[in-house]
């Protein structure tokens, strides 16, 4: 049985539908990430799970128990917020112990657990300090320690790392994973940062406008995005989109646009046939466009594109190259190369090849993927 289940959950604030028919199930030890842009309904979903927000319609279950009308404090939930929600007048020790004390835990339990949690998160030398004497990263570890000492059935995180700078964020991700490993309890983690979602989640639910667009592993979201939005939202640099027309020329399926004419793999024919003579959005990941000489895929005369180099951005594995297509109304696109490109290429015209086996196509009306349905 799923440990947590949401079934057709809605949340309406006056005229605004913040959460619009969300359903998902959480495995017993699962770490699920909700990711999406600001305002898409992530916090509202989490608050309904916590019981802090009344559900407009739909049901939430923990195990077989319907939770809709159960008070927050009877849900056995630990929640870590973006602003850490630490009490300024209490010491670090008392902040960590707060939940245990309010549930009248035996003092022996408090004495054991608080120092242990503080040690795990490397704040055991700060136990007598007040929060104002701590850095943001340390305050955040106080909040994580408080979650660690609890015996929650469900762990909820609402952008807990958003206020940390990049270096601390990597460390804190590891801390959160350590906490999850120790607790082995189901967890829902909210972030607007897709790279953080990819780094943390067993599965990731991509939210948009109050709905879940797709719920899958990070790899699946990246390789088989179900919608234009998911394709766009997941991955850095962002996927390239081209408006192409699907046609048949000399018996071959082709995609045409002012910048290129490419021949599509035969296996796509059955899915794309209904689009012949019509326009679709073609999506190509940056690594699926490459300089022909070093391309990790087959280059033919039928998968070429020309571009003018605008910017070259070195990375640990090679570089990202930002280009424009050659026609009058030039379009920008980006490639990631497994090699460095000398800066002397800036302003020059370069031939590139597209790995069409990895091309994505989206219906212009529904914005759903044509190939992965
Ligand atoms: N208490 C509220 N009253 C009215 N509208 C709200 C309230 N809480 C959230 N909203 C609206 O619901 C939408 C989703 O908000 P939220 O769940 O906070 O998004 P996220 O956490 O993904 O940024 C937003 O448009 C927000 O303005
Ligand atoms: Mg939020």
């Amino acid at each position: 049985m799923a440990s947590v289940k949401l079934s057709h959950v809605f949340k309406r604030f006056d005229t605004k539908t913040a959460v619009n028919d969300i359903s998902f199930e959480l495995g017993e030890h699962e770490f699920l990430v909700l990711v999406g842009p600001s305002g898409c309904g992530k916090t509202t979903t989490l608050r309904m799970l916590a019981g802090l927000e009344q559900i407009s319609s739909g049901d939430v279950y923990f195990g077989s128990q319907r939770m809709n009308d159960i008070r927050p404090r009877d849900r056995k939930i630990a929640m870590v917020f973006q602003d850490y929600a630490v009490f300024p007048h209490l010491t670090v020790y008392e902040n960590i112990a707060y939940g245990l004390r309010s549930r009248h835990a035996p003092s022996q339990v408090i004495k054991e657990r608080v120092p242990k949690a503080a040690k795990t998160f490397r704040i055991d030398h700060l136990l007598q300090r007040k929060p104002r004497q701590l850095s943001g990263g340390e305050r955040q570890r106080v909040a994580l320690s408080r979650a660690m000492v609890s015996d929650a059935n469900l762990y909820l995180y609402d952008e807990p790392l958003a206020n940390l700078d990049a270096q601390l964020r990597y460390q804190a991700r590891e801390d959160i994973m350590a906490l999850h490993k120790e607790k082995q309890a189901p967890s829902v983690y909210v972030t607007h940062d897709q790279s953080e979602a990819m780094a943390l989640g067993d599965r990731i639910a991509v939210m948009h406008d109050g709905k879940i667009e797709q719920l899958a592993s990070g790899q699946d979201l990246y390789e088989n995005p179900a919608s234009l939005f998911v394709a766009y939202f997941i991955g850095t640099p962002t996927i390239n989109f081209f408006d192409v027309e699907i046609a048949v020329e000399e018996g071959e399926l082709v995609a045409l646009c002012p910048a290129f004419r490419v021949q599509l793999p035969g296996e796509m024919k059955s899915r794309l046939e209904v689009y012949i003579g019509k326009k679709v959005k073609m999506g190509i990941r940056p690594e699926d466009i490459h300089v022909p000489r070093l391309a990790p895929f087959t280059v033919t005369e039928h998968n070429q594109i020309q571009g003018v180099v605008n910017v070259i951005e070195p990375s640990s594995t090679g570089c990202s190259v930002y280009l424009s297509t050659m026609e009058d109304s030039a379009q920008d696109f980006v490639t990631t190369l497994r090699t460095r490109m000398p800066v002397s290429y800036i302003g020059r015209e370069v031939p590139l090849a597209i790995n069409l086996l990895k091309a994505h196509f989206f219906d212009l009306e529904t914005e759903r993927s044509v190939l992965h349905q």
Side-chain angles (χ1 to χ4, degrees):
M1 187 193 300
S3 61
V4 173
K5 181 176 167 189
L6 279 80
S7 176
H8 299 290
V9 169
F10 288 76
K11 178 67 192 183
R12 300 178 194 94
F13 295 108
D14 303 325
T15 55
K16 169 88 194 171
T17 304
V19 172
N20 191 355
D21 197 5
I22 277 191
S23 302
F24 63 80
E25 292 183 10
L26 211 55
E28 242 173 277
H29 308 293
E30 190 171 15
F31 196 98
L32 179 82
V33 176
L34 297 182
V35 69
S38 176
C40 71
K42 305 181 295 295
T43 294
T44 307
T45 304
L46 217 56
R47 287 174 58 82
M48 286 192 286
L49 274 171
L52 299 171
E53 206 75 75
Q54 189 74 36
I55 295 169
S56 303
S57 63
D59 296 301
V60 171
Y61 294 91
F62 290 181
S64 58
Q65 191 185 5
R66 186 171 175 274
M67 300 302 287
N68 291 42
D69 303 316
I70 307 290
R71 290 176 305 181
R73 65 182 153 109
D74 297 328
R75 293 191 183 201
K76 290 199 83 179
I77 279 172
M79 197 157 173
V80 183
F81 299 92
Q82 177 175 353
D83 59 8
Y84 320 136
V86 291
F87 300 109
H89 60 288
L90 296 180
T91 61
V92 167
Y93 187 102
E94 287 305 321
N95 261 290
I96 299 172
Y98 184 82
L100 292 174
R101 285 213 202 287
S102 60
R103 274 181 280 110
H104 308 292
S107 64
Q108 194 54 36
V109 169
I110 296 175
K111 270 192 206 139
E112 271 170 31
R113 289 193 191 176
V114 171
K116 180 168 174 263
K119 194 153 190 277
T120 304
F121 293 113
R122 302 172 311 285
I123 49 170
D124 45 331
H125 57 298
L126 304 171
L127 284 169
Q128 296 316 315
R129 289 214 196 156
K130 295 277 178 63
R132 71 183 140 76
Q133 298 165 302
L134 304 178
S135 71
E138 288 161 350
R139 262 190 292 237
Q140 194 263 341
R141 301 209 293 265
V142 175
L144 288 174
S145 302
R146 185 161 55 198
M148 183 159 213
V149 299
S150 70
D151 290 311
N153 292 331
L154 174 63
Y155 287 77
L156 302 175
Y157 303 87
D158 194 358
E159 312 226 17
L161 311 185
N163 293 336
L164 301 183
D165 55 37
Q167 211 55 44
L168 272 177
R169 215 178 300 147
Y170 291 120
Q171 182 61 56
R173 275 183 198 168
E174 287 178 23
D175 289 344
I176 286 173
M177 281 293 107
L179 175 60
H180 178 61
K181 213 166 160 199
E182 153 120 9
K183 293 293 176 182
Q184 288 294 312
S187 307
V188 182
Y189 185 102
V190 159
T191 177
H192 66 273
D193 177 349
Q194 60 91 27
S195 62
E196 189 164 294
M198 298 290 265
L200 288 172
D202 296 331
R203 287 190 306 158
I204 300 168
V206 180
M207 286 187 71
H208 182 214
D209 264 350
K211 288 184 176 298
I212 292 181
E213 289 262 327
Q214 188 174 3
L215 200 172
S217 69
Q219 187 180 348
D220 218 19
L221 292 176
Y222 190 82
E223 291 180 357
N224 302 312
S227 70
L228 197 69
F229 180 81
V230 175
Y232 167 78
F233 194 76
I234 300 290
T236 43
T238 308
I239 193 168
N240 299 294
F241 287 122
F242 299 98
D243 288 307
V244 299
E245 187 183 320
I246 303 297
V248 174
E249 290 185 353
E250 296 166 10
E252 299 291 345
L253 194 67
V254 294
L256 307 164
C257 71
F260 58 77
R261 173 196 175 283
V262 292
Q263 195 171 305
L264 300 176
E267 52 265 48
M268 291 180 180
K269 203 161 190 174
S270 60
R271 291 279 191 182
L272 281 168
E273 218 154 28
V274 293
Y275 291 92
I276 289 170
K278 292 185 189 156
K279 291 213 156 146
V280 292
K281 195 73 90 177
M282 176 163 134
I284 308 282
R285 293 278 181 206
E287 67 274 22
D288 297 322
I289 303 181
H290 215 282
V291 289
R293 193 167 56 84
L294 299 165
F297 50 85
T298 311
V299 179
T300 71
E301 60 183 304
H302 301 298
N303 65 347
Q304 309 248 346
I305 176 173
Q306 297 280 113
V308 176
V309 176
N310 298 321
V311 175
I312 300 168
E313 200 177 86
S315 70
S316 56
T317 51
C319 64
S320 297
V321 183
Y322 293 82
L323 308 102
S324 303
T325 54
M326 307 291 297
E327 76 281 9
D328 283 345
S329 54
Q331 193 178 335
D332 293 338
F333 66 105
V334 55
T335 78
T336 49
L337 306 180
R338 297 178 184 182
T339 172
R340 290 280 157 81
M341 182 180 263
V343 287
S344 59
Y345 273 82
I346 291 172
R348 274 167 62 180
E349 190 184 321
V350 291
L352 297 156
I354 302 177
N355 186 2
L356 292 162
L357 285 168
K358 297 282 190 74
H360 305 273
F361 296 91
F362 302 93
D363 185 295
L364 290 183
E365 260 169 52
T366 65
E367 301 196 343
R368 305 303 294 179
S369 167
V370 174
L371 298 179
H372 309 288
Q373 283 165 349

